Amino acid sequence: QLDMPGDITFEGITLSSLDSDPVDSTFDAGADPRPGQEWTLDLPIEIAGRTLMLENVRVSSRGYQFNLHGDPDVMGIAVEILGYTPQGGGSGMQYGSGLASTSLGFAELPTGELAVRFSQLAVASDPIRGTLTWAYEGELPEVADADPSASDSICVTYEEWRTMQDSPANPPSGADGHLLTSIDEGGNHPGIYQVELDGANPQWLANAGWPSMSHDGRYLAFSDAEGLHVMAVDGSEDRLLGIDGHNIIWSADDTQLLFSTTFALHIIGADGSDMQALSLPAAQVYTPVGWLPGGHAIVYAALNGAGFEVRTYDLETGEAATYFSINNKAGLAKLSPDGEWLVFADRTEETATYGVFLSRVDGSERRLLIAPEIPAGLRFSWSPSGEYLALNTSLDGGDWMTFAVDPTSCAFGRLGVDTLVEGWTP
């Protein structure tokens, strides 16, 4: 029960676009630019009373990545190549770094001397912290006392997690398949490996980010400096799809990929055909979550205000629904293979770390899955059958310890890897 009036404390930043005329420049890409090629420019761009340095331009598959640097409050800038219509793109930003990276993808890579336009410089405010007093006049509804048995629904306690750290790999009985892991090996992209649940027989697949294995285990989708790839695990083919993206999710029939370019969601055929940007209700950032059964609708998270709203969108009818909000820095969540359950990280009152929760897509039947004191990562992997979840947890030394848990029976066991698990494959 809330006592009125009550104080609400908030903190964060605000983003704003500075009014300014666009600034035009030119860039000579040559007659035959190649993926991975990079030009160091150090060209000043004067916009909205600021000076940004266009440090370099890099070829990325069928597009270009423009990397700029400015004052610490710079968060992004719009870039367009005049005369060419992009089929996708994205932006990268980090508060306080002053770095602004913008990527543009095209059906065919523009060549020669290109006219480039810069506009809509986005900047962040200083950190804001404040307190509001909430007063409510009238009768408050009765709130039921918390269920004293609610803690019994937690599958792994903090003490069990600590004990697990000193135990050898012991995957739960009945769990099978392989793990898709990423290892920081000092390069621009981590090494992607497929290993057995106990850590045996590691197989290197690629150096890349955002790996996602097809449901039949035959193809790996990933992102690198060239853009999105679909690669046969047996090495027989490697297809560049002509666009950058991340958070890649395969459709159930392995014919399509759902992915994000941060400010938009896209679907593309696994063969590179029929790419489309989805016309979704407005939001600041979009994160894909999964495909609903039948493949005609998706679940995604949309940053709208203080948190990410869990939404669904019907690809055939355009019907959209918004359910509940989660509060983690990227809106990361994962839909179970049967489309019935969501696993996601959210802030808890008990600890400053993220708690791992399970709920229906509409937010009902929500429960805390593991003790909130356990420092959990934000990447989650369902087993191919949907019976188990692989949860990454962070150890004091910086390594990962991943365990599998059955949310229904709460059976759990340590998996045999000390790197970040990105997926669970057949």
Side-chain angles (χ1 to χ4, degrees), residues 159-178:
E159 292 73 20
E160 288 170 327
W161 176 75
R162 295 292 297 183
T163 300
M164 207 187 316
Q165 296 179 38
D166 301 322
S167 303
N170 182 30
S173 176
D176 56 13
H178 299 79

Side-chain angles (χ1 to χ4, degrees), residues 48-349:
R50 307 288 192 94
T51 300
L52 275 68
M53 296 298 294
L54 176 58
E55 296 182 344
N56 57 66
V57 178
R58 187 174 68 189
V59 184
S60 177
S61 185
R62 296 178 183 174
Y64 293 95
Q65 179 176 322
F66 297 82
N67 298 307
L68 299 97
H69 186 270
D71 296 331
D73 62 347
V74 167
M75 293 292 286
I77 190 169
V79 181
E80 54 185 314
I81 298 178
L82 301 181
Y84 296 88
T85 301
Q87 290 196 342
S91 298
M93 63 186 72
Q94 181 178 355
Y95 175 69
S97 70
L99 299 175
S101 175
T102 300
S103 297
L104 301 172
F106 301 88
E108 294 186 9
L109 188 65
T111 61
E113 186 164 331
L114 305 175
V116 182
R117 174 165 292 174
F118 300 89
S119 62
Q120 300 177 30
L121 177 62
V123 297
S125 68
D126 291 332
I128 299 170
R129 183 178 178 85
T131 300
L132 298 175
T133 298
W134 181 23
Y136 179 84
E137 295 182 0
E139 198 85 16
L140 283 174
E142 291 293 326
V143 179
D145 292 335
D147 180 0
S149 65
S151 61
D152 295 339
S153 67
I154 292 176
C155 281
V156 181
T157 66
Y158 181 77
E159 292 73 20
E160 288 170 327
W161 176 75
R162 295 292 297 183
T163 300
M164 207 187 316
Q165 296 179 38
D166 301 322
S167 303
N170 182 30
S173 176
D176 56 13
H178 299 79
L179 301 174
L180 201 61
T181 71
S182 63
I183 304 174
D184 184 356
E185 299 175 321
N188 291 331
H189 295 92
I192 305 303
Y193 291 81
Q194 185 170 246
V195 303
E196 295 181 15
L197 299 188
D198 62 1
N201 301 320
Q203 175 191 1
W204 177 85
L205 298 176
N207 285 94
W210 303 104
S212 179
M213 187 73 75
S214 62
H215 295 90
D216 62 12
R218 297 174 56 204
Y219 292 93
L220 177 71
F222 59 84
S223 178
D224 66 7
E226 296 180 319
L228 287 184
H229 295 244
V230 171
M231 182 192 78
V233 173
D234 64 9
S236 61
E237 59 180 314
D238 183 358
R239 297 192 295 267
L240 272 173
L241 301 190
I243 189 172
D244 294 323
H246 51 273
N247 279 322
I248 309 161
I249 304 177
W250 290 82
S251 62
D253 61 3
D254 289 335
T255 62
Q256 293 180 295
L257 303 173
L258 170 67
F259 65 95
S260 172
T261 54
T262 302
F263 304 119
L265 289 186
H266 298 259
I267 290 177
I268 191 170
D271 61 358
S273 64
D274 301 326
M275 195 200 69
Q276 57 175 311
L278 302 182
S279 299
L280 301 173
Q284 297 162 284
V285 174
Y286 299 89
T287 300
V289 172
W291 297 77
L292 288 171
H296 62 83
I298 62 165
V299 182
Y300 68 98
L303 180 60
N304 190 17
F308 280 85
E309 296 176 341
V310 174
R311 301 176 177 178
T312 58
Y313 179 77
D314 192 300
L315 303 171
E316 297 177 352
T317 67
E319 183 178 355
T322 298
Y323 292 107
F324 67 102
S325 291
I326 58 178
N327 184 5
N328 69 54
K329 64 182 180 180
L332 295 177
K334 188 63 70 73
L335 184 66
S336 62
D338 62 5
E340 293 291 328
W341 296 96
L342 284 178
V343 59
F344 54 91
D346 204 353
R347 293 290 188 185
T348 67
E349 296 180 358

